[in-house]
Amino acid sequence: MRTEVSDAKRIVVKIGSSSLTRPDGHLDEVRVTEIAAALARLHRSGKRIVLVSSGAIAAGLRPLGLKRRPRDLETQQAAAAVGQGMLIRHYSDAFAEHGAIIAQLLLTVEDVLRPTTYRNALNTFSRLFRLGVIPVVNENDTTATHEIRFGDNDRLAALIAHLVRADALLLFSDVDGLYTAHPDTPGATRLDRVDDIASLSVDTSRVGSKIGTGGMRTKLQAAEIATSAGISVVLTHVDRFEEAIGGEEVGTFFTPSGKRRPRRLLWLAHAAEPRGRVHVDAGAVRAITKRHASLLPVGVTQVEGAFAEGDPIEVVGPDDLVVARGFAGHGSHELLDALASGDADGALGMHGPVVHRDLLILL
Ligand SMILES: Nc1ncnc2c1ncn2[C@@H]1O[C@H](COP(=O)(O)OP(=O)(O)O)[C@@H](O)[C@H]1O
Ligand SMILES: N[C@@H](CCC(=O)OP(=O)(O)O)C(=O)O
């Protein structure tokens, strides 16, 4: 029994497109009704719930006379714009059958990370909870083009779980858990439990169903965001909805590994566009990854891009791999001058590190 889930007071439930779509590609209205009934029951039992639901594009196909999910982004966005209203109407009617009121929130990953919009979103969630309303979230597909392509409803759900301080995140899909490789691959087996995502060796390279986007890659990213913030994650098939919510041992359970991280660091890891890069030597990589030390000027070998103090930058190791992101402690010009002087530590030492350890996030 997974008491982390059965005892959870705040739960974020994410339903993927693949679980809401019939074989002909259209919205599965029966499924919407079942999900609403189960969640309304949970809500009545006193839990605070957020539903993150895809399915807008699928719902928009029939009214637009489309036979399958369109390939081009503009038609996908148009289908989502048509379908979202229909999707939310189905949910609204189905929840109302059980006496529950829902609210529609259309957000992007940026919205839940950028300081001003984050606060507004948080206020709205808090007030809806107090009013006893169930928030139903989808990406704002009109502006979130990246998400349509990469299935960021998974990441969005994890970030919302962080935002509302959820105890558990449940990811429902068309597969009954995380497999060692694509489930069609001979010999692939399902993992019951994952304690450390970073040390996993599973193949997520094959994209998902024809309907969904992102496949397992974005689900693992979501699990990483949530578990590293102390939130338990379950990934399973939508047919296992009731069991998963009841804490039964279905699908794959991801053990929470960390404590909540400051929002600024989440923004840095998941939304910020780096303004530049600093290349560092092997000793500096060891210092920041193993000893969790600040990045000192002495380890910097090269500076790329133009950035100011406080801008997000990437830290790149000698093998050209990005090892961390951080907020720059110095602007790029200052750093370049210090490097040119041949004594970076002497030139900058008294003014602090290139990236302070508290403003650094390992990738
Ligand atoms: N290692 C793996 N384990 C499980 N499923 C995988 C794996 N690699 C790829 N997949 C695929 O990921 C799909 C789920 O992702 P996706 O289609 O994006 O779903 P959703 O619409 O629910 O977000 C599964 O149907 C499966 O085919
Ligand atoms: N926001 C879009 C879908 C994005 C998407 O496909 O996400 P997912 O189901 O998580 O793979 C929609 O509602 O159709």
Side-chain angles (χ1 to χ4, degrees):
M1 189 72 172
R2 294 173 183 149
T3 49
E4 299 94 329
V5 179
S6 56
D7 293 350
K9 295 205 166 47
R10 290 187 179 211
I11 305 172
V12 173
V13 170
K14 187 256 166 174
I15 318 270
S17 307
S18 61
S19 312
L20 289 166
T21 312
R22 296 190 320 220
D24 65 3
H26 295 292
L27 183 71
D28 187 342
E29 292 165 16
V30 175
R31 186 74 88 185
V32 170
T33 310
E34 287 167 0
I35 290 164
L39 288 183
R41 225 175 5 259
L42 211 60
H43 182 247
R44 265 202 308 282
S45 74
K47 313 246 186 204
R48 292 195 159 170
I49 293 161
V50 176
L51 172 60
V52 178
S53 177
S54 306
I57 295 176
L61 298 183
R62 193 162 36 196
L64 292 177
L66 298 169
K67 294 227 165 359
R68 63 185 75 84
R69 187 179 169 116
R71 277 171 198 268
D72 69 292
L73 188 59
E74 287 74 15
T75 318
Q76 286 179 5
Q77 287 174 290
V82 171
Q84 178 62 27
M86 306 178 68
L87 178 67
I88 210 74
R89 183 163 56 79
H90 284 301
Y91 273 123
S92 189
D93 291 348
F95 274 100
E97 292 272 309
H98 303 275
I101 300 169
I102 62 160
Q104 172 184 250
L105 285 80
L106 298 179
L107 296 167
T108 62
V109 164
E110 289 267 339
D111 288 336
V112 285
L113 290 167
R114 221 186 271 136
T116 45
T117 47
Y118 167 93
R119 184 119 317 269
N120 297 338
L122 180 57
N123 289 342
T124 307
F125 275 108
S126 305
R127 184 51 59 93
L128 288 170
F129 281 148
R130 254 185 283 146
L131 291 169
V133 175
I134 303 174
V136 179
V137 182
N138 196 354
E139 298 138 339
N140 185 348
D141 287 325
T142 304
T143 54
T145 52
H146 179 273
E147 282 76 2
I148 291 191
R149 294 216 160 146
F150 299 106
D152 270 2
N153 253 358
D154 294 318
R155 281 200 317 153
L156 183 63
L159 291 167
I160 286 171
H162 187 275
L163 178 87
V164 303
R165 295 175 179 266
D167 307 301
L169 166 67
L170 304 180
L171 299 172
F172 291 101
S173 186
D174 64 343
V175 62
D176 64 342
L178 174 68
Y179 280 69
T180 47
H182 190 280
D184 288 349
T185 314
T189 53
R190 183 171 59 79
L191 304 171
D192 289 331
R193 186 182 185 100
V194 174
D195 290 322
D196 179 15
I197 297 173
S199 64
L200 263 182
S201 73
V202 296
D203 179 6
T204 58
S205 56
R206 260 177 72 188
V207 286
S209 50
K210 282 194 233 72
I211 308 298
T213 50
M216 273 306 119
R217 201 178 46 82
T218 52
K219 289 185 204 341
L220 279 185
Q221 288 172 352
E224 168 81 44
I225 295 171
T227 54
S228 67
I231 302 165
S232 304
V233 177
V234 177
L235 164 67
T236 190
H237 196 287
V238 71
D239 285 346
R240 301 261 178 279
F241 199 87
E242 298 277 2
E243 294 101 306
I245 280 177
E248 288 181 38
E249 310 237 337
V250 291
T252 303
F253 179 79
F254 296 86
T255 313
S257 59
K259 291 201 285 289
R260 281 176 60 77
R261 282 200 259 184
R263 188 193 69 239
R264 199 159 47 143
L265 292 187
L266 277 183
W267 178 79
L268 182 65
H270 304 293
E273 277 300 323
R275 292 290 168 83
R277 308 173 118 201
V278 289
H279 292 259
V280 301
D281 60 24
V285 171
R286 265 197 310 280
I288 62 173
T289 58
K290 300 274 186 283
R291 288 193 284 114
H292 300 287
S294 297
L295 175 63
L296 299 179
V298 68
V300 176
T301 53
Q302 199 191 327
V303 177
E304 255 183 77
F307 52 87
E309 180 187 340
D311 277 347
I313 56 170
E314 285 179 334
V315 180
V316 183
D319 49 6
D320 254 0
L321 290 180
V322 179
V323 285
R325 280 187 182 189
F327 291 105
H330 303 280
S332 48
H333 292 301
E334 210 182 340
L335 270 175
L336 283 169
D337 287 348
L339 279 184
S341 78
D343 176 20
D345 262 0
L348 288 174
M350 65 193 76
H351 307 299
V354 177
V355 182
H356 189 277
R357 52 181 286 177
D358 293 344
L359 301 176
L360 188 79
I361 192 150
L362 299 176
L363 297 177

